Amino acid sequence: MSGTTVGILYPGFSAEDDYPRAEALLSDGATLPLVHTEMRTDAHRVDALLDIGGDDVLADGARTLAEKFGPLDAIVWACTSGSFVFGPDGAAEQVAALRAVAGVPASSTSFAFVQACQRLGVSRVALGATYPPDIAARFVDFLAHHGITVLTVSARDIVTAAEVGTLPGEVVLDFAAAVAADAPDAEAVLLPDTALHTVALLDALDARVGKPVLTANQVSMWQGLRLAGADVVRPGLGTLFSTPAA
């Protein structure tokens, strides 16, 4: 487990600093090297998201990771909207293509959310999306396909990842609390945008909301570490990381 390397493919530049921030909390020597994948258009819009998550874009990123950082133990496409936009089957094909190129276990943030809910025994959630409503609806469908019911959706209707990355921590905490208040029966709150800075807030989010809050960058790195065989309890990274495998 010591020396585990999880490669992160991250679109553009918004909240990529969440990964070195999290890496500093990993006490076993695990690393999260990151490569920025091509983002020709920064927009939470279907055509732009299909382009961001194209197999050619991810393959180029995977090859760059290998060239810059050497052998990986797992790889994660750290983009929620750029995976679920393909639908359940398309998202699975996307991961399979990435796995074939990288030669190691692979996943995406969309599937990481599903597996994180399964780890916590969660099937009813409230969704706090930064996306426009039509994009958020596609994630609702993706989750439903995997047995997760979204009780309420709050969509902030922010078009660009760059703008999402500027939201201050107090705004994120208030947003999560408002999402939870709208759905008291939800077992968890999901914040599904890797452009949102959350790693420094994970424990505070859970405390503020009073139930698990799953965020995109959190579940992405958790999924990668899990696939790489480094699935251990880790403090400071929220309820998800403090919940051991059954």
Side-chain angles (χ1 to χ4, degrees), residues 9-11 35 37-38 40 50-65 75-79 82-83 86 91 93-99 101-102 107-108:
L9 298 178
Y10 189 92
V35 161
T37 55
E38 185 174 17
R40 285 178 275 258
L50 291 172
D51 183 59
I52 287 167
D55 289 346
D56 57 334
V57 175
L58 302 192
D60 285 346
R63 285 189 283 267
T64 301
L65 270 170
I75 189 169
V76 176
W77 167 225
C79 184
S83 46
F86 289 86
E93 292 166 1
Q94 180 189 62
V95 168
L98 178 58
R99 184 186 306 116
V101 171
S107 191
S108 68

PDB file of all heavy atoms in Angstrom, residues 9-11 35 37-38 40 50-65 75-79 82-83 86 91 93-99 101-102 107-108:
ATOM      1  N   LEU A   9      -6.866  12.369 -13.948  1.00  0.00           N
ATOM      2  CA  LEU A   9      -7.084  13.142 -15.170  1.00  0.00           C
ATOM      3  C   LEU A   9      -8.102  14.219 -14.855  1.00  0.00           C
ATOM      4  O   LEU A   9      -9.253  13.919 -14.524  1.00  0.00           O
ATOM      5  CB  LEU A   9      -7.594  12.239 -16.295  1.00  0.00           C
ATOM      6  CG  LEU A   9      -6.663  11.107 -16.733  1.00  0.00           C
ATOM      7  CD1 LEU A   9      -7.319  10.275 -17.827  1.00  0.00           C
ATOM      8  CD2 LEU A   9      -5.326  11.665 -17.222  1.00  0.00           C
ATOM      9  N   TYR A  10      -7.693  15.461 -14.962  1.00  0.00           N
ATOM     10  CA  TYR A  10      -8.523  16.587 -14.521  1.00  0.00           C
ATOM     11  C   TYR A  10      -8.719  17.568 -15.676  1.00  0.00           C
ATOM     12  O   TYR A  10      -7.741  18.054 -16.247  1.00  0.00           O
ATOM     13  CB  TYR A  10      -7.852  17.283 -13.338  1.00  0.00           C
ATOM     14  CG  TYR A  10      -8.725  18.316 -12.658  1.00  0.00           C
ATOM     15  CD1 TYR A  10      -9.525  17.968 -11.581  1.00  0.00           C
ATOM     16  CD2 TYR A  10      -8.756  19.632 -13.110  1.00  0.00           C
ATOM     17  CE1 TYR A  10     -10.338  18.898 -10.959  1.00  0.00           C
ATOM     18  CE2 TYR A  10      -9.568  20.571 -12.505  1.00  0.00           C
ATOM     19  CZ  TYR A  10     -10.351  20.209 -11.431  1.00  0.00           C
ATOM     20  OH  TYR A  10     -11.159  21.140 -10.825  1.00  0.00           O
ATOM     21  N   PRO A  11      -9.960  17.899 -16.004  1.00  0.00           N
ATOM     22  CA  PRO A  11     -10.204  18.805 -17.138  1.00  0.00           C
ATOM     23  C   PRO A  11      -9.993  20.271 -16.771  1.00  0.00           C
ATOM     24  O   PRO A  11     -10.613  20.796 -15.849  1.00  0.00           O
ATOM     25  CB  PRO A  11     -11.685  18.537 -17.471  1.00  0.00           C
ATOM     26  CG  PRO A  11     -12.299  18.138 -16.160  1.00  0.00           C
ATOM     27  CD  PRO A  11     -11.222  17.404 -15.398  1.00  0.00           C
ATOM     28  N   VAL A  35      -2.773  15.249 -14.182  1.00  0.00           N
ATOM     29  CA  VAL A  35      -2.542  15.820 -15.507  1.00  0.00           C
ATOM     30  C   VAL A  35      -3.806  16.551 -15.941  1.00  0.00           C
ATOM     31  O   VAL A  35      -4.917  16.035 -15.778  1.00  0.00           O
ATOM     32  CB  VAL A  35      -2.178  14.719 -16.533  1.00  0.00           C
ATOM     33  CG1 VAL A  35      -2.384  15.201 -17.961  1.00  0.00           C
ATOM     34  CG2 VAL A  35      -0.745  14.269 -16.340  1.00  0.00           C
ATOM     35  N   THR A  37      -6.313  17.556 -18.590  1.00  0.00           N
ATOM     36  CA  THR A  37      -6.723  17.135 -19.921  1.00  0.00           C
ATOM     37  C   THR A  37      -7.279  18.326 -20.691  1.00  0.00           C
ATOM     38  O   THR A  37      -7.657  19.352 -20.111  1.00  0.00           O
ATOM     39  CB  THR A  37      -7.782  16.025 -19.842  1.00  0.00           C
ATOM     40  OG1 THR A  37      -8.878  16.480 -19.048  1.00  0.00           O
ATOM     41  CG2 THR A  37      -7.189  14.764 -19.229  1.00  0.00           C
ATOM     42  N   GLU A  38      -7.343  18.154 -21.994  1.00  0.00           N
ATOM     43  CA  GLU A  38      -7.749  19.266 -22.857  1.00  0.00           C
ATOM     44  C   GLU A  38      -9.217  19.620 -22.641  1.00  0.00           C
ATOM     45  O   GLU A  38     -10.090  18.756 -22.597  1.00  0.00           O
ATOM     46  CB  GLU A  38      -7.527  18.903 -24.319  1.00  0.00           C
ATOM     47  CG  GLU A  38      -7.811  20.048 -25.271  1.00  0.00           C
ATOM     48  CD  GLU A  38      -7.446  19.721 -26.697  1.00  0.00           C
ATOM     49  OE1 GLU A  38      -7.282  18.531 -27.019  1.00  0.00           O
ATOM     50  OE2 GLU A  38      -7.338  20.671 -27.493  1.00  0.00           O
ATOM     51  N   ARG A  40     -11.470  22.148 -24.602  1.00  0.00           N
ATOM     52  CA  ARG A  40     -11.564  23.127 -25.685  1.00  0.00           C
ATOM     53  C   ARG A  40     -12.613  24.196 -25.392  1.00  0.00           C
ATOM     54  O   ARG A  40     -12.456  25.360 -25.791  1.00  0.00           O
ATOM     55  CB  ARG A  40     -11.849  22.410 -27.007  1.00  0.00           C
ATOM     56  CG  ARG A  40     -10.642  21.693 -27.581  1.00  0.00           C
ATOM     57  CD  ARG A  40     -10.980  20.954 -28.860  1.00  0.00           C
ATOM     58  NE  ARG A  40     -11.519  19.640 -28.591  1.00  0.00           N
ATOM     59  CZ  ARG A  40     -10.830  18.499 -28.704  1.00  0.00           C
ATOM     60  NH1 ARG A  40      -9.547  18.532 -29.052  1.00  0.00           N
ATOM     61  NH2 ARG A  40     -11.391  17.341 -28.449  1.00  0.00           N
ATOM     62  N   LEU A  50     -19.382  16.275 -23.881  1.00  0.00           N
ATOM     63  CA  LEU A  50     -19.055  15.105 -24.701  1.00  0.00           C
ATOM     64  C   LEU A  50     -17.647  15.232 -25.277  1.00  0.00           C
ATOM     65  O   LEU A  50     -16.908  14.247 -25.393  1.00  0.00           O
ATOM     66  CB  LEU A  50     -20.082  14.941 -25.819  1.00  0.00           C
ATOM     67  CG  LEU A  50     -21.495  14.539 -25.380  1.00  0.00           C
ATOM     68  CD1 LEU A  50     -22.455  14.607 -26.565  1.00  0.00           C
ATOM     69  CD2 LEU A  50     -21.495  13.134 -24.769  1.00  0.00           C
ATOM     70  N   ASP A  51     -17.253  16.443 -25.619  1.00  0.00           N
ATOM     71  CA  ASP A  51     -15.912  16.682 -26.155  1.00  0.00           C
ATOM     72  C   ASP A  51     -14.854  16.526 -25.060  1.00  0.00           C
ATOM     73  O   ASP A  51     -13.818  15.890 -25.269  1.00  0.00           O
ATOM     74  CB  ASP A  51     -15.851  18.080 -26.757  1.00  0.00           C
ATOM     75  CG  ASP A  51     -14.513  18.376 -27.403  1.00  0.00           C
ATOM     76  OD1 ASP A  51     -14.127  17.641 -28.331  1.00  0.00           O
ATOM     77  OD2 ASP A  51     -13.836  19.334 -26.972  1.00  0.00           O
ATOM     78  N   ILE A  52     -15.126  17.086 -23.886  1.00  0.00           N
ATOM     79  CA  ILE A  52     -14.184  17.006 -22.762  1.00  0.00           C
ATOM     80  C   ILE A  52     -13.883  15.560 -22.391  1.00  0.00           C
ATOM     81  O   ILE A  52     -12.748  15.208 -22.060  1.00  0.00           O
ATOM     82  CB  ILE A  52     -14.770  17.759 -21.544  1.00  0.00           C
ATOM     83  CG1 ILE A  52     -14.722  19.271 -21.768  1.00  0.00           C
ATOM     84  CG2 ILE A  52     -14.010  17.408 -20.255  1.00  0.00           C
ATOM     85  CD1 ILE A  52     -15.560  20.048 -20.770  1.00  0.00           C
ATOM     86  N   GLY A  53     -14.919  14.699 -22.462  1.00  0.00           N
ATOM     87  CA  GLY A  53     -14.757  13.313 -22.044  1.00  0.00           C
ATOM     88  C   GLY A  53     -14.499  12.343 -23.162  1.00  0.00           C
ATOM     89  O   GLY A  53     -14.653  11.116 -22.977  1.00  0.00           O
ATOM     90  N   GLY A  54     -14.092  12.834 -24.318  1.00  0.00           N
ATOM     91  CA  GLY A  54     -13.826  11.952 -25.453  1.00  0.00           C
ATOM     92  C   GLY A  54     -12.693  10.975 -25.178  1.00  0.00           C
ATOM     93  O   GLY A  54     -11.741  11.279 -24.450  1.00  0.00           O
ATOM     94  N   ASP A  55     -12.793   9.785 -25.771  1.00  0.00           N
ATOM     95  CA  ASP A  55     -11.772   8.758 -25.549  1.00  0.00           C
ATOM     96  C   ASP A  55     -10.379   9.229 -25.944  1.00  0.00           C
ATOM     97  O   ASP A  55      -9.383   8.891 -25.288  1.00  0.00           O
ATOM     98  CB  ASP A  55     -12.119   7.489 -26.340  1.00  0.00           C
ATOM     99  CG  ASP A  55     -13.314   6.737 -25.771  1.00  0.00           C
ATOM    100  OD1 ASP A  55     -13.713   7.028 -24.625  1.00  0.00           O
ATOM    101  OD2 ASP A  55     -13.839   5.857 -26.479  1.00  0.00           O
ATOM    102  N   ASP A  56     -10.282  10.035 -27.012  1.00  0.00           N
ATOM    103  CA  ASP A  56      -8.977  10.516 -27.452  1.00  0.00           C
ATOM    104  C   ASP A  56      -8.362  11.461 -26.427  1.00  0.00           C
ATOM    105  O   ASP A  56      -7.150  11.411 -26.161  1.00  0.00           O
ATOM    106  CB  ASP A  56      -9.091  11.209 -28.812  1.00  0.00           C
ATOM    107  CG  ASP A  56     -10.091  12.374 -28.818  1.00  0.00           C
ATOM    108  OD1 ASP A  56     -11.031  12.361 -27.990  1.00  0.00           O
ATOM    109  OD2 ASP A  56      -9.929  13.294 -29.648  1.00  0.00           O
ATOM    110  N   VAL A  57      -9.205  12.298 -25.821  1.00  0.00           N
ATOM    111  CA  VAL A  57      -8.716  13.249 -24.809  1.00  0.00           C
ATOM    112  C   VAL A  57      -8.189  12.492 -23.592  1.00  0.00           C
ATOM    113  O   VAL A  57      -7.103  12.793 -23.070  1.00  0.00           O
ATOM    114  CB  VAL A  57      -9.845  14.217 -24.398  1.00  0.00           C
ATOM    115  CG1 VAL A  57      -9.385  15.115 -23.257  1.00  0.00           C
ATOM    116  CG2 VAL A  57     -10.291  15.058 -25.589  1.00  0.00           C
ATOM    117  N   LEU A  58      -8.943  11.491 -23.131  1.00  0.00           N
ATOM    118  CA  LEU A  58      -8.531  10.736 -21.948  1.00  0.00           C
ATOM    119  C   LEU A  58      -7.309   9.877 -22.244  1.00  0.00           C
ATOM    120  O   LEU A  58      -6.433   9.720 -21.381  1.00  0.00           O
ATOM    121  CB  LEU A  58      -9.686   9.881 -21.433  1.00  0.00           C
ATOM    122  CG  LEU A  58     -10.966  10.630 -21.060  1.00  0.00           C
ATOM    123  CD1 LEU A  58     -11.910   9.707 -20.281  1.00  0.00           C
ATOM    124  CD2 LEU A  58     -10.679  11.888 -20.267  1.00  0.00           C
ATOM    125  N   ALA A  59      -7.234   9.321 -23.438  1.00  0.00           N
ATOM    126  CA  ALA A  59      -6.070   8.511 -23.802  1.00  0.00           C
ATOM    127  C   ALA A  59      -4.803   9.362 -23.809  1.00  0.00           C
ATOM    128  O   ALA A  59      -3.744   8.936 -23.310  1.00  0.00           O
ATOM    129  CB  ALA A  59      -6.282   7.866 -25.168  1.00  0.00           C
ATOM    130  N   ASP A  60      -4.889  10.569 -24.345  1.00  0.00           N
ATOM    131  CA  ASP A  60      -3.728  11.469 -24.328  1.00  0.00           C
ATOM    132  C   ASP A  60      -3.320  11.773 -22.890  1.00  0.00           C
ATOM    133  O   ASP A  60      -2.123  11.782 -22.564  1.00  0.00           O
ATOM    134  CB  ASP A  60      -4.067  12.776 -25.051  1.00  0.00           C
ATOM    135  CG  ASP A  60      -4.105  12.635 -26.566  1.00  0.00           C
ATOM    136  OD1 ASP A  60      -3.618  11.601 -27.066  1.00  0.00           O
ATOM    137  OD2 ASP A  60      -4.625  13.542 -27.231  1.00  0.00           O
ATOM    138  N   GLY A  61      -4.298  12.012 -22.029  1.00  0.00           N
ATOM    139  CA  GLY A  61      -3.989  12.289 -20.628  1.00  0.00           C
ATOM    140  C   GLY A  61      -3.340  11.109 -19.933  1.00  0.00           C
ATOM    141  O   GLY A  61      -2.393  11.275 -19.151  1.00  0.00           O
ATOM    142  N   ALA A  62      -3.828   9.906 -20.206  1.00  0.00           N
ATOM    143  CA  ALA A  62      -3.274   8.709 -19.586  1.00  0.00           C
ATOM    144  C   ALA A  62      -1.826   8.500 -20.013  1.00  0.00           C
ATOM    145  O   ALA A  62      -0.963   8.146 -19.197  1.00  0.00           O
ATOM    146  CB  ALA A  62      -4.115   7.497 -19.944  1.00  0.00           C
ATOM    147  N   ARG A  63      -1.554   8.724 -21.283  1.00  0.00           N
ATOM    148  CA  ARG A  63      -0.175   8.562 -21.761  1.00  0.00           C
ATOM    149  C   ARG A  63       0.745   9.609 -21.135  1.00  0.00           C
ATOM    150  O   ARG A  63       1.901   9.312 -20.779  1.00  0.00           O
ATOM    151  CB  ARG A  63      -0.151   8.646 -23.297  1.00  0.00           C
ATOM    152  CG  ARG A  63      -0.683   7.384 -23.977  1.00  0.00           C
ATOM    153  CD  ARG A  63      -0.452   7.420 -25.467  1.00  0.00           C
ATOM    154  NE  ARG A  63      -1.403   8.285 -26.149  1.00  0.00           N
ATOM    155  CZ  ARG A  63      -2.556   7.878 -26.685  1.00  0.00           C
ATOM    156  NH1 ARG A  63      -2.894   6.592 -26.618  1.00  0.00           N
ATOM    157  NH2 ARG A  63      -3.356   8.726 -27.295  1.00  0.00           N
ATOM    158  N   THR A  64       0.249  10.833 -20.967  1.00  0.00           N
ATOM    159  CA  THR A  64       1.053  11.876 -20.334  1.00  0.00           C
ATOM    160  C   THR A  64       1.352  11.536 -18.880  1.00  0.00           C
ATOM    161  O   THR A  64       2.470  11.742 -18.394  1.00  0.00           O
ATOM    162  CB  THR A  64       0.334  13.234 -20.425  1.00  0.00           C
ATOM    163  OG1 THR A  64       0.113  13.562 -21.800  1.00  0.00           O
ATOM    164  CG2 THR A  64       1.160  14.330 -19.770  1.00  0.00           C
ATOM    165  N   LEU A  65       0.353  11.000 -18.170  1.00  0.00           N
ATOM    166  CA  LEU A  65       0.575  10.574 -16.786  1.00  0.00           C
ATOM    167  C   LEU A  65       1.694   9.549 -16.710  1.00  0.00           C
ATOM    168  O   LEU A  65       2.594   9.651 -15.857  1.00  0.00           O
ATOM    169  CB  LEU A  65      -0.711   9.976 -16.209  1.00  0.00           C
ATOM    170  CG  LEU A  65      -1.690  10.913 -15.506  1.00  0.00           C
ATOM    171  CD1 LEU A  65      -3.000  10.191 -15.232  1.00  0.00           C
ATOM    172  CD2 LEU A  65      -1.100  11.440 -14.202  1.00  0.00           C
ATOM    173  N   ILE A  75      -6.169   4.706 -12.155  1.00  0.00           N
ATOM    174  CA  ILE A  75      -6.344   6.000 -12.822  1.00  0.00           C
ATOM    175  C   ILE A  75      -7.816   6.385 -12.734  1.00  0.00           C
ATOM    176  O   ILE A  75      -8.701   5.531 -12.809  1.00  0.00           O
ATOM    177  CB  ILE A  75      -5.860   5.930 -14.292  1.00  0.00           C
ATOM    178  CG1 ILE A  75      -5.825   7.322 -14.916  1.00  0.00           C
ATOM    179  CG2 ILE A  75      -6.716   4.969 -15.117  1.00  0.00           C
ATOM    180  CD1 ILE A  75      -5.105   7.353 -16.268  1.00  0.00           C
ATOM    181  N   VAL A  76      -8.069   7.691 -12.555  1.00  0.00           N
ATOM    182  CA  VAL A  76      -9.438   8.186 -12.414  1.00  0.00           C
ATOM    183  C   VAL A  76      -9.647   9.399 -13.312  1.00  0.00           C
ATOM    184  O   VAL A  76      -8.841  10.333 -13.310  1.00  0.00           O
ATOM    185  CB  VAL A  76      -9.745   8.571 -10.948  1.00  0.00           C
ATOM    186  CG1 VAL A  76     -11.148   9.177 -10.836  1.00  0.00           C
ATOM    187  CG2 VAL A  76      -9.620   7.367 -10.031  1.00  0.00           C
ATOM    188  N   TRP A  77     -10.733   9.351 -14.080  1.00  0.00           N
ATOM    189  CA  TRP A  77     -11.193  10.514 -14.835  1.00  0.00           C
ATOM    190  C   TRP A  77     -12.008  11.360 -13.874  1.00  0.00           C
ATOM    191  O   TRP A  77     -13.151  11.039 -13.536  1.00  0.00           O
ATOM    192  CB  TRP A  77     -12.015  10.049 -16.024  1.00  0.00           C
ATOM    193  CG  TRP A  77     -12.842  11.055 -16.776  1.00  0.00           C
ATOM    194  CD1 TRP A  77     -14.145  10.878 -17.186  1.00  0.00           C
ATOM    195  CD2 TRP A  77     -12.461  12.349 -17.271  1.00  0.00           C
ATOM    196  NE1 TRP A  77     -14.595  11.977 -17.875  1.00  0.00           N
ATOM    197  CE2 TRP A  77     -13.578  12.901 -17.942  1.00  0.00           C
ATOM    198  CE3 TRP A  77     -11.291  13.099 -17.195  1.00  0.00           C
ATOM    199  CZ2 TRP A  77     -13.548  14.160 -18.537  1.00  0.00           C
ATOM    200  CZ3 TRP A  77     -11.257  14.357 -17.768  1.00  0.00           C
ATOM    201  CH2 TRP A  77     -12.364  14.880 -18.436  1.00  0.00           C
ATOM    202  N   ALA A  78     -11.384  12.433 -13.390  1.00  0.00           N
ATOM    203  CA  ALA A  78     -11.969  13.250 -12.328  1.00  0.00           C
ATOM    204  C   ALA A  78     -12.878  14.320 -12.916  1.00  0.00           C
ATOM    205  O   ALA A  78     -12.592  15.525 -12.874  1.00  0.00           O
ATOM    206  CB  ALA A  78     -10.867  13.876 -11.477  1.00  0.00           C
ATOM    207  N   CYS A  79     -13.991  13.851 -13.451  1.00  0.00           N
ATOM    208  CA  CYS A  79     -14.985  14.761 -14.020  1.00  0.00           C
ATOM    209  C   CYS A  79     -16.335  14.063 -13.959  1.00  0.00           C
ATOM    210  O   CYS A  79     -16.505  13.004 -14.560  1.00  0.00           O
ATOM    211  CB  CYS A  79     -14.632  15.109 -15.462  1.00  0.00           C
ATOM    212  SG  CYS A  79     -15.745  16.325 -16.207  1.00  0.00           S
ATOM    213  N   GLY A  82     -18.560  15.180 -17.262  1.00  0.00           N
ATOM    214  CA  GLY A  82     -17.915  14.640 -18.451  1.00  0.00           C
ATOM    215  C   GLY A  82     -17.903  13.128 -18.486  1.00  0.00           C
ATOM    216  O   GLY A  82     -17.295  12.533 -19.389  1.00  0.00           O
ATOM    217  N   SER A  83     -18.572  12.495 -17.536  1.00  0.00           N
ATOM    218  CA  SER A  83     -18.748  11.036 -17.580  1.00  0.00           C
ATOM    219  C   SER A  83     -20.234  10.685 -17.640  1.00  0.00           C
ATOM    220  O   SER A  83     -20.679   9.985 -18.548  1.00  0.00           O
ATOM    221  CB  SER A  83     -18.038  10.358 -16.404  1.00  0.00           C
ATOM    222  OG  SER A  83     -18.270  10.990 -15.165  1.00  0.00           O
ATOM    223  N   PHE A  86     -22.562  10.858 -20.888  1.00  0.00           N
ATOM    224  CA  PHE A  86     -22.586   9.787 -21.884  1.00  0.00           C
ATOM    225  C   PHE A  86     -23.671   8.749 -21.596  1.00  0.00           C
ATOM    226  O   PHE A  86     -23.870   7.835 -22.400  1.00  0.00           O
ATOM    227  CB  PHE A  86     -21.222   9.100 -21.948  1.00  0.00           C
ATOM    228  CG  PHE A  86     -20.140   9.949 -22.571  1.00  0.00           C
ATOM    229  CD1 PHE A  86     -19.416  10.848 -21.799  1.00  0.00           C
ATOM    230  CD2 PHE A  86     -19.851   9.871 -23.927  1.00  0.00           C
ATOM    231  CE1 PHE A  86     -18.421  11.641 -22.357  1.00  0.00           C
ATOM    232  CE2 PHE A  86     -18.859  10.658 -24.495  1.00  0.00           C
ATOM    233  CZ  PHE A  86     -18.142  11.547 -23.711  1.00  0.00           C
ATOM    234  N   ALA A  91     -20.842   5.835 -20.242  1.00  0.00           N
ATOM    235  CA  ALA A  91     -19.871   6.097 -19.178  1.00  0.00           C
ATOM    236  C   ALA A  91     -19.060   4.843 -18.868  1.00  0.00           C
ATOM    237  O   ALA A  91     -17.858   4.922 -18.580  1.00  0.00           O
ATOM    238  CB  ALA A  91     -20.588   6.598 -17.925  1.00  0.00           C
ATOM    239  N   GLU A  93     -18.412   2.455 -21.048  1.00  0.00           N
ATOM    240  CA  GLU A  93     -17.507   2.282 -22.188  1.00  0.00           C
ATOM    241  C   GLU A  93     -16.326   3.245 -22.091  1.00  0.00           C
ATOM    242  O   GLU A  93     -15.191   2.897 -22.448  1.00  0.00           O
ATOM    243  CB  GLU A  93     -18.278   2.505 -23.487  1.00  0.00           C
ATOM    244  CG  GLU A  93     -19.305   1.421 -23.775  1.00  0.00           C
ATOM    245  CD  GLU A  93     -20.281   1.807 -24.868  1.00  0.00           C
ATOM    246  OE1 GLU A  93     -20.140   2.934 -25.431  1.00  0.00           O
ATOM    247  OE2 GLU A  93     -21.187   1.006 -25.159  1.00  0.00           O
ATOM    248  N   GLN A  94     -16.576   4.443 -21.606  1.00  0.00           N
ATOM    249  CA  GLN A  94     -15.513   5.431 -21.415  1.00  0.00           C
ATOM    250  C   GLN A  94     -14.455   4.896 -20.453  1.00  0.00           C
ATOM    251  O   GLN A  94     -13.248   4.976 -20.711  1.00  0.00           O
ATOM    252  CB  GLN A  94     -16.118   6.729 -20.882  1.00  0.00           C
ATOM    253  CG  GLN A  94     -15.142   7.852 -20.636  1.00  0.00           C
ATOM    254  CD  GLN A  94     -15.818   9.018 -19.911  1.00  0.00           C
ATOM    255  OE1 GLN A  94     -16.295   8.856 -18.797  1.00  0.00           O
ATOM    256  NE2 GLN A  94     -15.857  10.184 -20.553  1.00  0.00           N
ATOM    257  N   VAL A  95     -14.898   4.336 -19.331  1.00  0.00           N
ATOM    258  CA  VAL A  95     -13.979   3.784 -18.339  1.00  0.00           C
ATOM    259  C   VAL A  95     -13.228   2.583 -18.908  1.00  0.00           C
ATOM    260  O   VAL A  95     -12.024   2.420 -18.668  1.00  0.00           O
ATOM    261  CB  VAL A  95     -14.737   3.406 -17.053  1.00  0.00           C
ATOM    262  CG1 VAL A  95     -13.874   2.556 -16.128  1.00  0.00           C
ATOM    263  CG2 VAL A  95     -15.196   4.671 -16.324  1.00  0.00           C
ATOM    264  N   ALA A  96     -13.924   1.739 -19.651  1.00  0.00           N
ATOM    265  CA  ALA A  96     -13.270   0.565 -20.241  1.00  0.00           C
ATOM    266  C   ALA A  96     -12.173   0.981 -21.214  1.00  0.00           C
ATOM    267  O   ALA A  96     -11.087   0.376 -21.245  1.00  0.00           O
ATOM    268  CB  ALA A  96     -14.303  -0.304 -20.944  1.00  0.00           C
ATOM    269  N   ALA A  97     -12.439   2.016 -22.014  1.00  0.00           N
ATOM    270  CA  ALA A  97     -11.427   2.504 -22.952  1.00  0.00           C
ATOM    271  C   ALA A  97     -10.224   3.078 -22.205  1.00  0.00           C
ATOM    272  O   ALA A  97      -9.064   2.857 -22.597  1.00  0.00           O
ATOM    273  CB  ALA A  97     -12.035   3.558 -23.871  1.00  0.00           C
ATOM    274  N   LEU A  98     -10.488   3.796 -21.124  1.00  0.00           N
ATOM    275  CA  LEU A  98      -9.396   4.354 -20.325  1.00  0.00           C
ATOM    276  C   LEU A  98      -8.576   3.244 -19.691  1.00  0.00           C
ATOM    277  O   LEU A  98      -7.341   3.301 -19.671  1.00  0.00           O
ATOM    278  CB  LEU A  98      -9.974   5.282 -19.256  1.00  0.00           C
ATOM    279  CG  LEU A  98      -8.982   5.932 -18.295  1.00  0.00           C
ATOM    280  CD1 LEU A  98      -7.941   6.755 -19.039  1.00  0.00           C
ATOM    281  CD2 LEU A  98      -9.726   6.798 -17.273  1.00  0.00           C
ATOM    282  N   ARG A  99      -9.241   2.226 -19.179  1.00  0.00           N
ATOM    283  CA  ARG A  99      -8.545   1.082 -18.577  1.00  0.00           C
ATOM    284  C   ARG A  99      -7.641   0.396 -19.606  1.00  0.00           C
ATOM    285  O   ARG A  99      -6.506   0.014 -19.305  1.00  0.00           O
ATOM    286  CB  ARG A  99      -9.562   0.087 -18.025  1.00  0.00           C
ATOM    287  CG  ARG A  99      -8.943  -1.103 -17.287  1.00  0.00           C
ATOM    288  CD  ARG A  99     -10.005  -2.123 -16.906  1.00  0.00           C
ATOM    289  NE  ARG A  99     -11.087  -1.517 -16.150  1.00  0.00           N
ATOM    290  CZ  ARG A  99     -12.344  -1.451 -16.569  1.00  0.00           C
ATOM    291  NH1 ARG A  99     -12.685  -1.962 -17.746  1.00  0.00           N
ATOM    292  NH2 ARG A  99     -13.263  -0.895 -15.813  1.00  0.00           N
ATOM    293  N   VAL A 101      -6.206   1.696 -22.248  1.00  0.00           N
ATOM    294  CA  VAL A 101      -5.049   2.534 -22.566  1.00  0.00           C
ATOM    295  C   VAL A 101      -4.053   2.558 -21.411  1.00  0.00           C
ATOM    296  O   VAL A 101      -2.841   2.430 -21.613  1.00  0.00           O
ATOM    297  CB  VAL A 101      -5.497   3.967 -22.915  1.00  0.00           C
ATOM    298  CG1 VAL A 101      -4.286   4.894 -23.020  1.00  0.00           C
ATOM    299  CG2 VAL A 101      -6.285   3.981 -24.208  1.00  0.00           C
ATOM    300  N   ALA A 102      -4.566   2.712 -20.190  1.00  0.00           N
ATOM    301  CA  ALA A 102      -3.690   2.876 -19.029  1.00  0.00           C
ATOM    302  C   ALA A 102      -3.132   1.546 -18.529  1.00  0.00           C
ATOM    303  O   ALA A 102      -2.061   1.515 -17.904  1.00  0.00           O
ATOM    304  CB  ALA A 102      -4.449   3.572 -17.900  1.00  0.00           C
ATOM    305  N   SER A 107     -11.568   4.330 -13.360  1.00  0.00           N
ATOM    306  CA  SER A 107     -12.941   4.708 -13.035  1.00  0.00           C
ATOM    307  C   SER A 107     -13.117   6.181 -13.366  1.00  0.00           C
ATOM    308  O   SER A 107     -12.199   6.845 -13.846  1.00  0.00           O
ATOM    309  CB  SER A 107     -13.260   4.439 -11.554  1.00  0.00           C
ATOM    310  OG  SER A 107     -14.648   4.572 -11.300  1.00  0.00           O
ATOM    311  N   SER A 108     -14.339   6.671 -13.112  1.00  0.00           N
ATOM    312  CA  SER A 108     -14.642   8.089 -13.277  1.00  0.00           C
ATOM    313  C   SER A 108     -15.405   8.564 -12.055  1.00  0.00           C
ATOM    314  O   SER A 108     -15.884   7.766 -11.243  1.00  0.00           O
ATOM    315  CB  SER A 108     -15.476   8.323 -14.540  1.00  0.00           C
ATOM    316  OG  SER A 108     -16.777   7.758 -14.402  1.00  0.00           O
TER     317      SER A 108
END
